Structure formats: structure tokens, C-alpha cells
Amino acid sequence: MSASFHDNKPIFIQVREQIEDQIVNDQLKEGDQAPSTNQLVQFYKINHATISKGITQLVDEGILFKKRGVGMFVAEGAKQVLIEKRKQAFMEDYVIGLVQEAEKLQISDKEMIELIQQAKKEI
């Protein structure tokens, strides 16, 4: 986890995304106990309400679940839910614009695939 934040998003969203990243990257697996709100407050040195807002969203979406008196845990299927959500966001944020620009430039599907393969080789 990184303790630094940037100004382009609210902090509670950044905290939430860092927990999501840990799940997607298998640092937190299904059934694992997630860091407590108090641990996150101490780590990030930010307001309890800010942390709680991000955690509550994850609970509301079924990514985390609470065990009364024990803590917060990663829900079964959470990783797949996050991957599907991120694939959809990837399409909306990147692919649609890419396809629209390719259409303007009259780039065929085959050419687009070749360009993507070339880009993958360069990274």
C-alpha cells in the first residue's frame, strides 16, 4: 500500500482503489481478513470517516463483508467482480475512444490488432 495520495480523486476513492488493487493482485485473497479501519487510519494518517466511506462502498458492493467483532474479510468472488468492473471501465475509458479514432482514420480491424501487438512488444 502507498501512503501518498494525489489531488485528482477524493481520498476515500483512492483508499478504496488501493484495497481493490490488493484483491486484484492477489495480495488479499477471498476469505482473507482485510485491514481494519483503525489500521488504515493509522497507516494513512487520515480521518476515520474518510476511510469508513471507502470501506462502506466495498461492503455495499459485496467486495468485503463484516464479521461482527472479528473484522472485515474479502468476499467470495470479489476478485472476479472487480476484474469485470475494471474491464468495463477500460472499455469505456480507452477502447471506445480508440475505436472511434480508428474509424476516423479508416484503420481496419486487422490493422488495429497489428498496432496493438506492436505496442505490446514495445512495453
Side-chain angles (χ1 to χ4, degrees), residues 14 31 94 96 99:
Q14 293 178 64
Y94 301 103
I96 290 173
V99 171

Side-chain angles (χ1 to χ4, degrees), residues 16-122:
R16 171 200 164 118
E17 288 175 346
Q18 287 185 11
I19 293 169
E20 289 176 350
D21 285 345
Q22 289 180 324
I23 295 168
V24 170
N25 296 328
D26 287 327
Q27 293 169 310
L28 284 173
K29 296 181 184 340
E30 293 176 1
D32 283 356
Q33 187 167 8
S36 72
T37 304
N38 289 335
Q39 288 171 320
L40 294 170
V41 165
Q42 288 182 353
F43 180 79
Y44 290 116
K45 308 278 191 260
I46 57 176
N47 187 304
H48 190 275
T50 302
I51 297 288
S52 291
K53 191 170 182 180
I55 296 293
T56 298
Q57 287 183 344
L58 291 170
V59 170
D60 290 346
E61 290 182 17
I63 304 300
L64 297 178
F65 67 94
K66 296 178 184 178
K67 284 187 181 178
R68 190 174 192 88
V70 180
M72 218 86 65
F73 294 82
V74 179
E76 189 172 321
K79 179 178 179 176
Q80 194 57 42
V81 168
L82 290 172
I83 288 172
E84 291 303 318
K85 181 178 110 177
R86 288 183 175 196
K87 282 182 182 179
Q88 183 64 35
F90 178 76
M91 185 178 77
E92 292 168 3
D93 295 345
Y94 301 103
V95 177
I96 290 173
L98 174 78
V99 171
Q100 289 171 337
E101 188 64 19
E103 291 287 322
K104 290 178 198 172
L105 299 173
Q106 300 177 340
I107 297 173
S108 70
D109 291 353
K110 183 181 178 201
E111 286 177 292
M112 186 133 60
I113 291 168
E114 289 170 358
L115 289 169
I116 291 169
Q117 289 171 336
Q118 180 183 345
K120 285 181 78 172
K121 289 177 185 174
E122 293 178 13

